[in-house]
Amino acid sequence: MNIGFIGLGIMGSPMAANLVRAGHTVVGYDTSAERTDALAVAGGKSAGSVAEAVAQAEVVITMLPDSPQVEEVAFGDDGLLQQGRQGLIHIDMSTVRPETSRRVAQAAAVKGIRALDAPVSGGERGAVDGTLSIMVGGAAADFAAVRPVLAVVGTTIVHVGPAGAGQTVKAANQLVVGGIYGLVAEAIVLLEASGVDPGGGLDVLAGGLAGSRILDLKRHSMVRREFAPGFRIDLHHKDMGIAIAAAREAGVSLPLTGLVAQLVAAARAQGHGSLDHSALLKVIERINQ
Amino acid sequence: MNIGFIGLGIMGSPMAANLVRAGHTVVGYDTSAERTDALAVAGGKSAGSVAEAVAQAEVVITMLPDSPQVEEVAFGDDGLLQQGRQGLIHIDMSTVRPETSRRVAQAAAVKGIRALDAPVSGGERGAVDGTLSIMVGGAAADFAAVRPVLAVVGTTIVHVGPAGAGQTVKAANQLVVGGIYGLVAEAIVLLEASGVDPGGGLDVLAGGLAGSRILDLKRHSMVRREFAPGFRIDLHHKDMGIAIAAAREAGVSLPLTGLVAQLVAAARAQGHGSLDHSALLKVIERINQ
Amino acid sequence: MNIGFIGLGIMGSPMAANLVRAGHTVVGYDTSAERTDALAVAGGKSAGSVAEAVAQAEVVITMLPDSPQVEEVAFGDDGLLQQGRQGLIHIDMSTVRPETSRRVAQAAAVKGIRALDAPVSGGERGAVDGTLSIMVGGAAADFAAVRPVLAVVGTTIVHVGPAGAGQTVKAANQLVVGGIYGLVAEAIVLLEASGVDPGGGLDVLAGGLAGSRILDLKRHSMVRREFAPGFRIDLHHKDMGIAIAAAREAGVSLPLTGLVAQLVAAARAQGHGSLDHSALLKVIERINQ
Amino acid sequence: MNIGFIGLGIMGSPMAANLVRAGHTVVGYDTSAERTDALAVAGGKSAGSVAEAVAQAEVVITMLPDSPQVEEVAFGDDGLLQQGRQGLIHIDMSTVRPETSRRVAQAAAVKGIRALDAPVSGGERGAVDGTLSIMVGGAAADFAAVRPVLAVVGTTIVHVGPAGAGQTVKAANQLVVGGIYGLVAEAIVLLEASGVDPGGGLDVLAGGLAGSRILDLKRHSMVRREFAPGFRIDLHHKDMGIAIAAAREAGVSLPLTGLVAQLVAAARAQGHGSLDHSALLKVIERINQ
């Protein structure tokens, strides 16, 4: 299939390479020429502009930092909606506000372009291994049409609803993840301050109703204060901003999420933006020192 | 072994019966004569007072509602510390403040009585089936001595530290459990308000880093608004009070726990005290209606 | 002075009228022709477009609902920055994100236009009476130049810092106001639930260190549950969104503000958007019913 | 009048001295003999025990650190309820949980002793100057009977309801005060991080709807980071514990109070217990550094 791929960063680059390896024709573009060239080395084709990347594409995948970049690629004069062919399916795999996805989808429909929002979880590791989880919003038929493409980059691929739904599920995921890190951090601080070995205590929690993937994967590293990413605080801070915005757009009040967002913001304000998101523990520690 | 068992309620009654079945001599006492009689029917012996229940005991288990009852049984004129024999091991399986457990242990030591705090999780089901999780604080030797007794009523039995440590771990467990319920509730409210099927959305969360025992066990019932207990809001409210008190005693600040405790209090204020703790969803819903 | 006035709503309309009355030549524009006409009746001149309103102006005042409208008026093809004369001073009296004000100011500087952000407090009453409080960000010289114009519409007029500073101070004001409403609401709920007459209790609070303008002005109406606006929840919800955004832009974590924003969002979700912001009491009440 | 005065600390000592000066016969007792002697030097009489202090008293005032001390003085074998005369009025001016005051009042009634709870605000300065604010719970007739005594130590003296009501109002006061400090702290952190002079910004806030006694009295010292007490964090931490307990006893959920209590706890955990409560600013700062 002819695939345009825009945004060849830490996530996009291995995803595009996996698509090449799977036999697709991938025309890539990134604002960094170096990155675009790297794709060519990996067997893809390099485009000099968004317009060039999308010109022949049946599917365009975007993997960009945030809403402004997605909007520029979608709505720009030389952008996807102006330059893409009728019938093109645009899969935005960036994590952005649900509202952004809905606006892109509406504008795309006017141009005869079909849009899906398909944010992922699983991080760099998942991008390299092609084992991402993908939450897809948009029309069921469009989802079905590109499922084989998504299956190259991910293993868990779920259609969760109409345009924006993928982003909403991603936002829900991130607010729960951020919150559990905060709760585990508070548990550790309480255990340690009470003279209880946190490792043994968390073992008990992990085995009962308090159990979670985060306790399974991160409790030992958290107790040892090892915070190499993984998924960076900076990114989780961005995602909490999206969760807060999504709640606002949906007209709902989420009190815990409101507080969790500020605690993640604190981790960043304290200079831990490049650490793993489990470093939320440092915020709960610091508030006590 | 000669076991005194004080507190024969929903939890204590099946626990005592399991000990009888395992071949122990169990002398039970409850302020309700009816409950005491029920133990006799099950093969135990009924005592007319705490003093009578503890007089011949090598081990005394208490399973009581809260700190005041534990203090009365321990410190009362006819109580355990006055009437129990030297060398007796007192296992308090009630959920109380760590500080209460420490004070009981100190006073017991003066009398030559050895005290363990051993709160449980697993609920009525676990008490009936003998599959409770038990978090034990106190001296390692005392723990070793009574391990076979605890193995009758529970399956996961962990020594987590000195006197009070069992209660601290239980408090940590409950703050994490309460918090995850709150986070899942906020996720559900966000998904539904955004027009996303919450069942499908939570399936994705359950399969990724947001995954938890609570999502595994309760997401379907929460989405269907089925809140038959399980573990009642009233009890979780009591436990959040203990978590807040434990933090105060340990001199630590736990911001999320502070908010979670108020949300659980809201569930109770709204009249949901007898529903399952997953009914925290009703609080997040109501704040939005 | 020749003044262009864009945005003739509940606030802008009486402000423009006051400027007319003070002898200024006011050319007004609103997307609603009806509103534009009303200014003409009041002695101003009506413009058919932003371009027409700003063409001859020495000062342009904008009083618009939110950032998108300000950006459209400022950056649009027929907008202020394209159509305004060199040396023009643009006073944006809308309440928007500090970041919006800074971007407008930067773009204006390129065009030789001087920009001030000058959000107000005091509500419709203050707009009608010309007694608004005005917080001004921008260059001191520009502030000095338009001070006489601002003195027509307000009484407390303070230059608080560079571009965006007016908006930041407004955001700080609104987070404190929203928070105090929440605290007073919690005090009322506690007093009433404890069987204490809230009126008498709040009288004591008002006389001591807990005293505040809000207690002075609103405690009687809050206890009586009278919530006629005043300043609407919808507007305060918008302002809390700005406060949260301002914190994010400044890179700081504000935990109480994070929670207050969600409580105000709840008031809106519960359908109280048109009530006075003191109706935050209804949220604290409802969480308890 | 014959007055027994128990608890001659920083607050009690000058209050007792003021009563002596006003012509009352004051028999004082404190667990510290030194303090008791100091009262004798000031013209009072020193008692060697609670029993001796209350034996001849028509009125007994207690000014003690917390609930356990009040309970010991009230319920102890040589305590007030055992040793006091029928008709005695007990005024507990300590700040304790409303529940404690209600239990003392109930037990007192059985003995023919009339009890009032009468916590104060105004600090050491108010105690020395006799200008305390006093919130009184209990029977109106008893309040009327001792009003002249209270008028010696305070200036604002309000009967707010039945037994415990004084403590409830004090708790409401302290939760509002703690919360406003937190909000002002967040405003300062936002202003400074945004490059706005906090002094000028807070001047604007102080003049509008965000205005408060705390802004009036403390904004300059907070901006200068001057935190000499005043009222110590340690005491406010104790009072927030009472507010949380009072909410629990009243069966209400207070979300902001739950978070404020943890922030005050953080100030203490960070070692600022002896600073003025305005040092809550240090917590909001530290979370951002």
Side-chain angles (χ1 to χ4, degrees):
Chain A
M1 202 174 263
N2 284 320
I3 300 176
F5 202 112
I6 298 166
L8 299 166
I10 290 175
M11 296 294 289
S13 168
M15 292 165 71
N18 281 333
L19 290 166
V20 169
R21 230 163 292 156
H24 294 288
T25 302
V26 181
V27 184
Y29 174 72
D30 193 285
T31 52
S32 148
E34 200 176 329
R35 288 174 173 177
T36 311
D37 292 348
L39 178 64
V41 170
K45 300 185 178 179
S46 63
S49 67
V50 169
E52 198 182 326
V54 308
Q56 306 300 324
E58 299 156 272
V59 168
V60 171
I61 294 174
T62 45
M63 192 62 178
L64 296 160
D66 208 344
S67 292
Q69 292 83 11
V70 169
E71 293 181 359
E72 195 189 327
V73 166
F75 301 130
D77 287 345
D78 282 326
L80 173 58
L81 301 191
Q82 291 299 339
Q83 307 296 331
R85 306 192 308 184
Q86 286 241 350
L88 167 67
I89 299 185
H90 171 214
I91 313 172
D92 182 23
M93 304 189 77
S94 322
T95 295
V96 297
R97 295 163 48 164
E99 179 61 18
T100 300
S101 295
R102 281 189 290 265
R103 277 191 290 114
V104 168
Q106 283 167 2
V110 172
K111 296 280 185 179
I113 291 175
R114 298 131 79 192
L116 297 169
D117 51 295
V120 306
S121 69
E124 188 182 351
R125 186 78 262 139
V128 169
D129 296 346
T131 58
L132 295 166
S133 290
I134 312 178
M135 298 144 252
V136 188
D142 299 339
F143 171 69
V146 299
R147 209 184 202 293
V149 171
L150 294 175
V152 172
V153 295
T155 42
T156 305
I157 304 161
V158 189
H159 181 235
V160 292
Q167 301 297 351
T168 302
V169 172
K170 177 76 187 280
N173 190 78
Q174 294 303 77
L175 77 85
V176 171
V177 167
I180 294 180
Y181 274 122
L183 294 165
V184 170
E186 296 197 359
I188 291 173
V189 165
L190 175 60
L191 292 169
E192 293 182 347
S194 304
V196 181
D197 170 53
L202 293 187
D203 286 350
V204 175
L205 268 62
L209 191 55
S212 63
R213 193 69 45 91
I214 283 172
L215 271 178
D216 291 346
L217 297 177
K218 298 289 185 82
R219 72 180 186 274
H220 297 301
S221 57
M222 288 177 78
V223 168
R224 286 195 302 261
R225 270 66 175 173
E226 293 171 1
F227 300 119
F231 188 79
R232 290 188 298 116
I233 285 284
D234 275 346
L235 290 171
H236 210 118
H237 177 64
K238 175 201 149 194
D239 289 357
M240 291 307 302
I242 291 173
I244 293 294
R248 181 165 280 262
E249 288 158 12
V252 291
S253 164
L254 306 180
L256 284 169
T257 303
L259 181 52
V260 171
Q262 296 303 320
L263 295 177
V264 175
R268 195 156 180 268
Q270 291 173 18
H272 308 316
S274 297
L275 298 185
D276 186 65
H277 48 172
S278 55
L280 201 51
L281 173 55
K282 292 176 84 78
V283 172
I284 305 300
E285 271 195 296
R286 189 161 182 79
I287 211 175
N288 281 293
Q289 286 170 343
Chain B
M1 204 176 260
N2 284 320
I3 300 176
F5 202 113
I6 299 166
L8 299 165
I10 291 175
M11 295 294 290
S13 169
M15 290 165 72
N18 280 333
L19 289 165
V20 169
R21 230 163 293 155
H24 293 288
T25 302
V26 181
V27 185
Y29 173 72
D30 193 285
T31 51
S32 148
E34 202 177 326
R35 287 174 172 177
T36 310
D37 294 347
L39 178 64
V41 171
K45 300 185 177 178
S46 64
S49 66
V50 170
E52 198 182 326
V54 307
Q56 304 301 323
E58 299 157 90
V59 168
V60 172
I61 295 174
T62 46
M63 192 62 179
L64 297 160
D66 208 343
S67 291
Q69 292 83 11
V70 170
E71 292 181 357
E72 195 189 326
V73 166
F75 300 130
D77 288 344
D78 283 326
L80 172 59
L81 300 192
Q82 291 299 338
Q83 306 295 330
R85 305 192 310 184
Q86 286 243 347
L88 166 67
I89 299 185
H90 171 214
I91 312 172
D92 182 23
M93 303 189 76
S94 321
T95 295
V96 296
R97 297 164 46 165
E99 179 62 18
T100 300
S101 295
R102 281 190 290 263
R103 276 193 290 115
V104 168
Q106 282 166 2
V110 172
K111 296 280 185 177
I113 291 175
R114 297 131 79 191
L116 298 169
D117 51 295
V120 306
S121 69
E124 187 181 353
R125 187 78 264 138
V128 169
D129 295 346
T131 57
L132 295 166
S133 290
I134 312 177
M135 297 144 251
V136 189
D142 300 340
F143 172 69
V146 299
R147 209 184 201 296
V149 171
L150 294 174
V152 173
V153 295
T155 42
T156 304
I157 305 161
V158 189
H159 181 235
V160 291
Q167 302 296 351
T168 302
V169 172
K170 177 75 186 282
N173 190 79
Q174 294 303 78
L175 77 86
V176 171
V177 167
I180 294 179
Y181 275 123
L183 293 165
V184 169
E186 297 196 0
I188 291 172
V189 165
L190 175 61
L191 292 169
E192 292 183 347
S194 304
V196 180
D197 170 52
L202 292 187
D203 286 350
V204 176
L205 268 61
L209 191 55
S212 63
R213 194 69 45 90
I214 284 173
L215 271 178
D216 291 346
L217 297 176
K218 298 290 185 81
R219 72 180 187 273
H220 299 300
S221 59
M222 288 177 79
V223 167
R224 287 195 302 261
R225 270 64 175 174
E226 293 170 1
F227 300 118
F231 188 80
R232 291 188 298 117
I233 285 284
D234 277 346
L235 289 170
H236 210 118
H237 177 64
K238 175 202 148 194
D239 290 357
M240 291 308 301
I242 291 173
I244 294 293
R248 181 166 280 263
E249 289 158 12
V252 292
S253 164
L254 306 180
L256 284 168
T257 303
L259 181 52
V260 171
Q262 297 303 319
L263 295 176
V264 175
R268 193 156 182 268
Q270 290 175 18
H272 308 315
S274 298
L275 298 185
D276 186 65
H277 47 173
S278 55
L280 200 50
L281 172 56
K282 291 177 84 79
V283 173
I284 304 300
E285 270 195 298
R286 191 162 182 79
I287 211 176
N288 280 293
Q289 285 171 345
Chain C
M1 203 175 264
N2 283 322
I3 300 177
F5 202 112
I6 298 165
L8 299 165
I10 291 175
M11 296 293 291
S13 169
M15 291 164 72
N18 280 333
L19 289 166
V20 169
R21 231 163 291 155
H24 294 287
T25 302
V26 180
V27 185
Y29 173 72
D30 193 286
T31 51
S32 149
E34 201 176 328
R35 288 175 173 175
T36 310
D37 293 347
L39 177 65
V41 172
K45 301 185 176 178
S46 63
S49 66
V50 170
E52 198 181 326
V54 307
Q56 304 301 324
E58 299 157 273
V59 167
V60 172
I61 295 175
T62 46
M63 192 62 178
L64 297 161
D66 208 343
S67 292
Q69 292 82 12
V70 170
E71 293 181 359
E72 196 188 326
V73 166
F75 301 128
D77 288 344
D78 284 326
L80 172 58
L81 301 191
Q82 290 299 337
Q83 306 295 331
R85 307 192 308 183
Q86 286 243 347
L88 166 68
I89 299 186
H90 171 214
I91 312 173
D92 182 23
M93 304 189 76
S94 322
T95 295
V96 296
R97 295 164 48 164
E99 178 62 17
T100 300
S101 296
R102 281 190 289 264
R103 276 191 291 115
V104 168
Q106 282 166 2
V110 172
K111 296 279 185 181
I113 291 176
R114 296 131 79 191
L116 297 170
D117 51 295
V120 307
S121 69
E124 188 181 352
R125 186 79 263 139
V128 170
D129 296 346
T131 57
L132 295 166
S133 290
I134 312 177
M135 298 144 252
V136 189
D142 300 338
F143 172 69
V146 299
R147 209 185 201 296
V149 172
L150 294 175
V152 173
V153 295
T155 42
T156 304
I157 305 161
V158 189
H159 180 234
V160 292
Q167 301 297 351
T168 302
V169 172
K170 177 76 187 280
N173 190 78
Q174 294 303 78
L175 77 86
V176 171
V177 168
I180 294 179
Y181 275 123
L183 294 165
V184 169
E186 296 197 359
I188 290 172
V189 165
L190 174 61
L191 292 169
E192 292 183 347
S194 305
V196 181
D197 170 52
L202 293 187
D203 286 350
V204 176
L205 268 61
L209 191 55
S212 63
R213 193 70 45 89
I214 284 173
L215 271 178
D216 291 347
L217 297 176
K218 298 291 184 82
R219 72 180 188 273
H220 298 300
S221 58
M222 286 177 79
V223 167
R224 286 195 303 261
R225 271 63 175 175
E226 293 170 3
F227 301 118
F231 187 80
R232 290 188 300 117
I233 285 283
D234 276 346
L235 290 171
H236 210 118
H237 176 63
K238 175 201 149 194
D239 289 356
M240 291 308 301
I242 291 173
I244 294 293
R248 181 166 279 264
E249 288 159 12
V252 291
S253 165
L254 307 180
L256 284 169
T257 303
L259 181 52
V260 171
Q262 296 303 319
L263 295 176
V264 175
R268 193 155 182 269
Q270 290 174 18
H272 308 315
S274 298
L275 299 184
D276 185 65
H277 47 173
S278 56
L280 201 51
L281 173 56
K282 291 176 84 78
V283 172
I284 305 299
E285 270 195 297
R286 190 162 182 79
I287 210 175
N288 281 293
Q289 285 170 346
Chain D
M1 203 175 261
N2 284 321
I3 299 176
F5 203 112
I6 298 165
L8 299 166
I10 290 174
M11 296 294 289
S13 168
M15 291 165 71
N18 281 333
L19 289 166
V20 169
R21 230 163 291 156
H24 294 288
T25 302
V26 181
V27 185
Y29 173 73
D30 193 285
T31 50
S32 148
E34 202 176 328
R35 288 174 173 177
T36 311
D37 292 347
L39 178 64
V41 171
K45 299 184 177 179
S46 64
S49 67
V50 170
E52 198 182 325
V54 307
Q56 305 300 325
E58 298 157 272
V59 168
V60 172
I61 294 175
T62 46
M63 193 62 177
L64 296 160
D66 208 344
S67 292
Q69 291 83 11
V70 170
E71 292 181 359
E72 195 189 327
V73 166
F75 301 130
D77 288 343
D78 282 326
L80 172 58
L81 301 192
Q82 290 299 338
Q83 306 295 331
R85 304 192 311 183
Q86 286 242 348
L88 167 67
I89 300 185
H90 170 214
I91 313 172
D92 182 23
M93 304 188 77
S94 322
T95 295
V96 296
R97 296 164 47 163
E99 179 62 17
T100 299
S101 295
R102 282 190 289 264
R103 276 191 291 115
V104 168
Q106 282 167 1
V110 172
K111 296 279 185 178
I113 291 175
R114 297 131 79 192
L116 297 170
D117 52 294
V120 306
S121 70
E124 188 182 351
R125 185 78 263 140
V128 170
D129 296 345
T131 58
L132 295 165
S133 290
I134 312 178
M135 299 144 250
V136 189
D142 300 339
F143 172 69
V146 299
R147 209 185 201 297
V149 172
L150 294 175
V152 173
V153 294
T155 42
T156 304
I157 305 162
V158 189
H159 181 234
V160 291
Q167 301 297 350
T168 302
V169 173
K170 176 76 187 281
N173 190 79
Q174 294 302 77
L175 78 86
V176 172
V177 167
I180 294 179
Y181 275 124
L183 294 165
V184 170
E186 296 197 359
I188 291 173
V189 165
L190 175 60
L191 292 169
E192 294 182 346
S194 305
V196 181
D197 170 53
L202 292 187
D203 286 350
V204 176
L205 268 62
L209 190 55
S212 63
R213 193 70 45 90
I214 283 172
L215 271 178
D216 291 346
L217 298 177
K218 299 290 184 85
R219 71 182 187 273
H220 298 300
S221 58
M222 286 177 80
V223 167
R224 287 195 303 261
R225 270 64 174 175
E226 293 171 1
F227 301 119
F231 187 80
R232 291 187 298 117
I233 285 284
D234 276 346
L235 290 171
H236 211 118
H237 177 64
K238 174 201 150 193
D239 289 357
M240 290 308 300
I242 291 173
I244 294 293
R248 182 166 279 262
E249 289 158 12
V252 291
S253 164
L254 307 180
L256 284 169
T257 303
L259 181 52
V260 171
Q262 297 303 320
L263 295 177
V264 175
R268 195 157 181 267
Q270 290 174 17
H272 308 315
S274 297
L275 298 185
D276 186 64
H277 46 173
S278 56
L280 201 50
L281 173 55
K282 293 176 84 77
V283 172
I284 305 300
E285 270 195 298
R286 190 163 183 78
I287 211 175
N288 282 293
Q289 287 170 343

